[in-house]
Amino acid sequence: MVENSGPRPTDLLTIGEVVARTGVAASALHFYERKGLIRPERTDGGTRLYPRHMERRIAIIQVAKRLGIPLSEVADQFAALPQDRMPSLRDWNRLNERWRARLRARQLELARLQEEMTRCIGCGCVSLNACLVVNPGDALSSEGHGARRLLPIEDDEGAAGAAGAAGAAGAAGAA
C-alpha cells in the first residue's frame, strides 16, 4: 500500500500561511469570514486555523471578484457547498456555468455600449454636431439630465432604476 505523505485538503494552516499561499490580505480573510464565505477552525486560544481546502474557496472568491460578481451572490452559491470539504470539479462546473452566462451577458452589454458610443454619446450632450441631427432642438432634455439614449446600468439585483428605464424606453422609440 502506497501512503501519500503530501499535503491533504484537511491539513490546517495558520492565517499567515494562507496569506502567503493565496496572496489575499489577512483583513480580507477576516472580512470573508464575517460574510460566511470561509470558516476557520479555532484553537482553545482563539487562533484561526484554516483547512487547506479553504484555499479553493478563496480562489473562487477571487475569480468572482474579477468577474464583478457580488460577494452576496458568492455566498448564495457557497451555501449549497459543504464547508467541510474542497469544492469538487462538479461544484466548480455548476458555479462556472452560471457565471459564464453572466460574463457573456456583460460582454454583449459592453459591445452594445461600444457601438452606441461610436454613433452618439447618448445625448448628454458631448457631441453637439451629431446630436443636433438625432436630437433636434435638444428634445431629449425634457426627459432629464444625462445620457438619455443609452440603456441604464442594472444594479446587483438586475433591476434598473425607474427613471433610467423610462428614458431608455423613450429613446428606443426615438432611435
Side-chain angles (χ1 to χ4, degrees):
M1 182 171 152
V2 176
E3 187 174 314
N4 183 357
S5 62
R8 293 183 300 271
T10 54
D11 289 346
L12 298 175
L13 303 172
T14 66
I15 193 165
E17 290 170 319
V18 173
V19 166
R21 292 179 56 82
T22 65
V24 175
S27 59
L29 296 174
H30 294 167
F31 178 75
Y32 298 156
E33 181 183 347
R34 286 191 305 274
K35 294 293 184 184
L37 299 170
I38 60 174
R39 187 173 48 213
E41 296 179 17
R42 297 281 187 149
T43 66
D44 291 338
T47 301
R48 290 173 171 90
L49 293 174
Y50 294 87
R52 187 178 291 276
H53 64 80
M54 284 293 156
E55 290 177 316
R56 182 72 51 94
R57 283 178 176 256
I58 294 164
I60 292 171
I61 293 166
Q62 297 308 303
V63 168
K65 283 176 48 178
R66 289 183 61 199
L67 294 174
I69 296 170
L71 290 179
S72 60
E73 186 175 325
V74 175
D76 290 344
Q77 294 296 315
F78 279 4
L81 301 176
Q83 284 272 349
D84 62 345
R85 70 167 173 81
M86 180 170 23
S88 67
L89 180 58
R90 185 177 185 180
D91 295 328
W92 171 246
N93 285 336
R94 193 173 53 237
L95 290 173
N96 192 21
E97 184 177 318
R98 174 178 259 165
W99 291 346
R100 186 177 311 155
R102 184 181 186 129
L103 182 58
R104 180 66 183 142
R106 181 166 295 144
Q107 288 171 329
L108 292 172
E109 181 179 344
L110 288 172
R112 179 187 48 78
L113 179 60
Q114 184 177 12
E115 176 61 28
E116 288 177 353
M117 288 178 62
T118 60
R119 288 182 283 143
C120 176
I121 197 61
C123 293
C125 185
V126 176
S127 177
L128 288 176
N129 291 336
C131 288
L132 287 174
V133 174
V134 295
N135 184 24
D138 196 23
L140 292 175
S141 66
S142 64
E143 294 182 22
H145 64 279
R148 307 312 308 159
R149 291 195 183 254
L150 298 181
L151 293 177
I153 296 173
E154 294 184 358
D155 62 19
D156 288 344
E157 282 72 44

